[in-house]
Amino acid sequence: MNGTFPDISISTERLVLRPLEDADVPAYTEMLNDEQVVAWTSVPHPYDEAHARRWIGQDAPAERTEGRGIVLAVTEFLTQRLVGTLHLHHTDWRIRSTELSYVIAPWARGEGYATEAARACTQWLFRDQKFERVELRTAADNAAAQQVAQKIGCVSEGVLRGAWIARAKDDRDLWTDVRTDLIVWSLLPEDFEGVGEYADWD
């Protein structure tokens, strides 16, 4: 069974989740060069504007049109500043399941934006798209990502041993690959029971 996510915009009290745009290139490039992003993701490093333009103009739209997932910019409602991105991927339309990952700009961390964006997106998935499972995978040492998973109500299902390559700086201040475990988290529709309306989408 194949499917495609709609070209969607999701609004919360503080945020708007929308498709990435060409105007996002400078802020997106800066965000993906942040050391925490380099450490916990597999993005190229250094990340330049050519990478960003290809992702925003070609690769991210293809995620949606080819049915693999969707990439959304997370922006502040009042300032329209780019807070981060949210990515649904490894989508299985037969079992109505997808994996959620995100990146938050360094200036926006600690404000609850990742939790707000992830909660709004999963609410949309369960209530509008009739999904049955959302999965998150967090590196074993990435405490901030684990806290977000817990705050949106995820259940920890287990550990995938040695399943991820993170990056850390060595004694010469150079990035080096470090194998690490992944913690698997899941969120099901019943985990959202009793939660009121949190977001609007169109």
Side-chain angles (χ1 to χ4, degrees), residues 98-155:
T98 192
E99 183 178 338
L100 184 153
S101 58
Y102 61 87
V103 172
I104 298 295
W107 65 267
R109 292 173 192 151
E111 300 295 329
Y113 286 142
T115 300
E116 187 171 331
R119 185 176 290 144
C121 185
T122 50
Q123 176 181 297
W124 168 72
L125 282 168
F126 292 145
R127 297 183 179 177
D128 188 78
Q129 298 296 297
K130 309 304 179 188
F131 266 58
E132 296 294 333
R133 175 181 170 89
V134 175
E135 185 174 298
L136 284 78
R137 298 185 177 201
T138 63
D141 293 328
N142 191 345
Q146 293 164 33
Q147 289 174 0
V148 170
Q150 292 169 339
K151 287 177 181 177
I152 66 173
C154 288
V155 174

Side-chain angles (χ1 to χ4, degrees), residues 43-187:
V43 297
H45 181 72
Y47 195 89
D48 60 32
E49 289 199 356
H51 290 119
R53 282 191 292 271
R54 177 171 178 173
W55 177 248
I56 291 171
Q58 299 176 37
D59 297 342
E63 289 274 307
R64 189 185 71 81
T65 58
E66 295 173 8
R68 291 182 277 121
I70 191 170
V71 181
L72 297 170
V74 180
T75 63
E76 282 188 321
F77 178 77
L78 292 178
T79 67
Q80 300 182 23
R81 189 176 181 186
L82 185 69
V83 168
T85 60
L86 189 147
H87 187 187
L88 301 179
H89 51 111
H90 298 133
T91 303
D92 188 319
W93 291 95
R94 180 175 177 271
I95 63 173
R96 310 299 285 190
S97 173
T98 192
E99 183 178 338
L100 184 153
S101 58
Y102 61 87
V103 172
I104 298 295
W107 65 267
R109 292 173 192 151
E111 300 295 329
Y113 286 142
T115 300
E116 187 171 331
R119 185 176 290 144
C121 185
T122 50
Q123 176 181 297
W124 168 72
L125 282 168
F126 292 145
R127 297 183 179 177
D128 188 78
Q129 298 296 297
K130 309 304 179 188
F131 266 58
E132 296 294 333
R133 175 181 170 89
V134 175
E135 185 174 298
L136 284 78
R137 298 185 177 201
T138 63
D141 293 328
N142 191 345
Q146 293 164 33
Q147 289 174 0
V148 170
Q150 292 169 339
K151 287 177 181 177
I152 66 173
C154 288
V155 174
S156 175
E157 294 186 331
V159 176
L160 301 178
R161 296 183 299 162
W164 186 249
I165 300 294
R167 288 177 282 205
K169 285 193 172 182
D170 62 19
D171 53 9
R172 296 175 297 166
D173 207 35
L174 299 175
W175 288 104
T176 184
D177 289 346
V178 180
R179 184 169 293 276
T180 186
D181 298 341
L182 283 177
I183 301 173
V184 179
W185 307 81
S186 69
L187 194 64

